[in-house]
């Protein structure tokens, strides 16, 4: 019995090597290998095409190569097959670093000073006051909490939004759809760290982004599908939003003629906020397989109902 790695668009080799180093007798295969699909017990994947799961009738567990599992939730996923996600504290910290970097670049006006430097201009501008830099984090899972924690020592006022109320030291928590408007209206910097589910798809459109204070900045490290890209563009163009840092897109990579590449208010990066460490992914996948074989609970199981 074996593990099959289907990590596209990421190269499979680093996952395969990390798994082979610890998997003992369990073979580790990937696309292009000559293998018997009936022997696949665990699939380690980033996305699945509908219709491929019946090829693996011995499947015991489906493991994500990342923290998000939205591209694995295909309709023909057997109800009894556990799905697991990666929980990598280092990945959460790296995403927080990315968010802080993009936010400070905006609040400390680094692009403006870079432009001034290009023409040897010595011009000093007032620093944005902390009251105009209120952070709002959508999603308070492991990643959202790491982001909220990273901002606190920098003197920012931090709030977050979650499905259910919770206590987080130093973070004002808003919960449920009924409190989303309150979170938005006080967020000068909106950070999206939500999982993608049917409930959160296209959440960030004309009405929600329009409810941010004028001059707000948006950082998206969730999924591209959370944002209605044409609405974001309209709000950037009409001046309601001052800018956006986008690490994720509806289509990755965006088409060469997509507006995000050239919009003066957009920082676009190629989904690099953070990748879970290959070794952690491999260890958690192997652990999930051992647990599935022994009928034990999965610590990183996805709640199939909630979708994350
Ligand atoms: C990255 O987007 C991940 O889900 O790990």
């Amino acid at each position: 019995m074996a593990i099959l790695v289907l990590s596209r668009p990421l190269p499979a080799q680093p996952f395969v090597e990390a798994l082979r180093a610890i998997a003992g007798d369990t073979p580790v295969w990937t696309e292009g290998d000559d293998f018997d699909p009936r022997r696949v017990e665990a699939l380690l994947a980033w996305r699945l095409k509908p219709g491929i799961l019946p090829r693996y009738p011995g499947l015991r567990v489906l493991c994500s190569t990342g923290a998000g599992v939205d591209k694995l939730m295909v309709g023909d996923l057997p109800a009894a097959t556990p799905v697991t996600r990666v929980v990598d504290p280092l990945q959460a910290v790296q995403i927080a670093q990315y968010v802080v970097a993009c936010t400070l670049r905006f609040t400390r006006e680094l692009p403006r000073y870079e432009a001034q430097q290009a023409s040897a201009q010595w011009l000093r501008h007032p620093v944005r006051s902390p009251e105009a830099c209120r952070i709002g984090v959508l999603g308070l899972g492991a990643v959202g909490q790491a982001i909220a924690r990273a901002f606190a020592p920098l003197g920012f006022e931090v709030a977050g939004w979650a499905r259910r109320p919770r206590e987080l030291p130093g973070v004002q928590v808003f919960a449920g759809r009924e409190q989303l408007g309150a979170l938005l209206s006080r967020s000068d910097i909106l950070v999206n760290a939500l999982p993608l589910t049917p409930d959160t798809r296209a959440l960030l459109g004309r009405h929600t982004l329009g409810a941010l204070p004028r001059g707000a900045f948006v950082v998206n490290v969730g999924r591209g599908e959370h944002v209605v890209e044409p609405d974001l563009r309209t709000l950037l163009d009409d001046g309601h939003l001052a800018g956006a840092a986008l690490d994720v897109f509806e289509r990755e990579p965006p088409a060469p003629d997509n507006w995000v590449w050239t919009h003066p208010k957009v920082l676009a990066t190629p989904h690099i906020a953070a990748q879970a460490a290959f070794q952690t992914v491999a260890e958690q996948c192997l652990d999930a397989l051992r647990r599935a074989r022994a009928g034990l609970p999965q610590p990183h199981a996805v709640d199939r109902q909630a979708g994350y």
Side-chain angles (χ1 to χ4, degrees):
M1 299 302 260
I3 301 172
L4 176 63
V5 176
L6 299 177
S7 59
R8 271 183 211 226
L10 295 174
Q13 215 45 39
F15 294 106
V16 171
E17 280 167 17
L19 273 166
R20 283 191 180 145
I22 56 174
D25 293 342
T26 304
V28 180
W29 298 317
T30 188
E31 287 167 294
D33 290 340
D34 185 18
F35 64 86
D36 178 355
R38 288 167 306 179
R39 293 185 58 208
V40 171
E41 269 185 300
L43 254 181
L44 175 63
W46 167 248
R47 67 176 173 219
L48 286 183
K49 288 198 199 97
I52 75 153
L53 282 174
R55 285 186 212 162
Y56 311 109
L59 190 70
R60 291 180 190 271
V61 63
L62 173 60
C63 306
S64 171
T65 54
V69 294
D70 43 286
K71 293 174 182 58
L72 296 181
M73 306 308 263
V74 288
D76 53 359
L77 197 56
T81 308
V83 181
T84 66
R85 56 194 287 270
V86 179
V87 178
D88 177 1
L90 184 61
Q91 181 185 26
V93 167
Q94 287 174 351
I95 295 175
Q97 290 171 354
Y98 172 92
V99 172
V100 170
C102 295
T103 301
L104 294 181
R105 176 180 181 269
F106 169 71
T107 60
R108 299 309 311 263
E109 304 195 71
L110 297 186
R112 184 182 198 179
Y113 286 110
E114 280 168 12
Q116 285 187 194
Q117 182 184 352
S119 54
Q121 271 187 295
W122 183 269
L123 259 179
R124 304 166 83 184
H125 307 283
V127 176
R128 220 177 214 260
S129 72
E131 301 84 64
C133 302
R134 295 161 300 170
I135 311 287
V137 183
L138 298 177
L140 291 173
V143 171
Q145 288 187 33
I147 294 169
R149 272 197 304 273
F151 276 112
L154 297 173
F156 292 92
E157 196 183 298
V158 185
W161 182 71
R163 276 205 314 164
R164 293 195 201 87
R166 63 180 65 188
E167 293 284 316
L168 283 181
V171 180
Q172 186 185 3
V173 177
F174 294 82
R177 279 281 170 155
E178 54 295 349
Q179 292 187 3
L180 178 60
L183 179 282
L184 294 170
S185 65
R186 48 78 59 217
S187 296
D188 304 298
I189 314 289
L190 183 75
V191 182
N192 175 40
L194 286 167
L196 182 65
T197 69
D199 278 349
T200 64
R201 183 176 291 272
L203 180 72
L204 299 177
R206 192 156 49 95
H207 295 297
T208 40
L209 295 176
L212 295 169
R214 194 169 175 83
F217 184 75
V218 174
V219 186
N220 190 11
V221 288
R223 289 287 183 256
E225 294 92 330
H226 285 126
V227 174
V228 183
E229 285 180 6
D231 290 357
L232 173 65
R233 183 184 190 177
T234 303
L235 290 161
L236 287 166
D237 286 344
D238 73 15
H240 186 78
L241 295 178
L246 307 174
D247 188 49
V248 286
F249 302 87
E250 196 165 351
R251 171 180 154 181
E252 293 185 3
D257 61 350
N258 188 307
W259 64 275
V260 295
W261 291 119
T262 49
H263 198 287
K265 292 182 173 175
V266 171
L267 171 67
T269 51
H271 205 142
I272 45 73
Q275 150 77 50
F278 297 119
Q279 197 182 332
T280 306
V281 175
E283 282 165 5
Q284 292 184 6
C285 174
L286 195 62
D287 181 57
L289 174 56
R290 290 190 176 133
R291 285 169 177 273
R293 282 175 178 160
L296 293 171
Q298 299 285 352
H300 304 314
V302 169
D303 173 345
R304 297 276 289 271
Q305 201 65 31
Y308 63 93

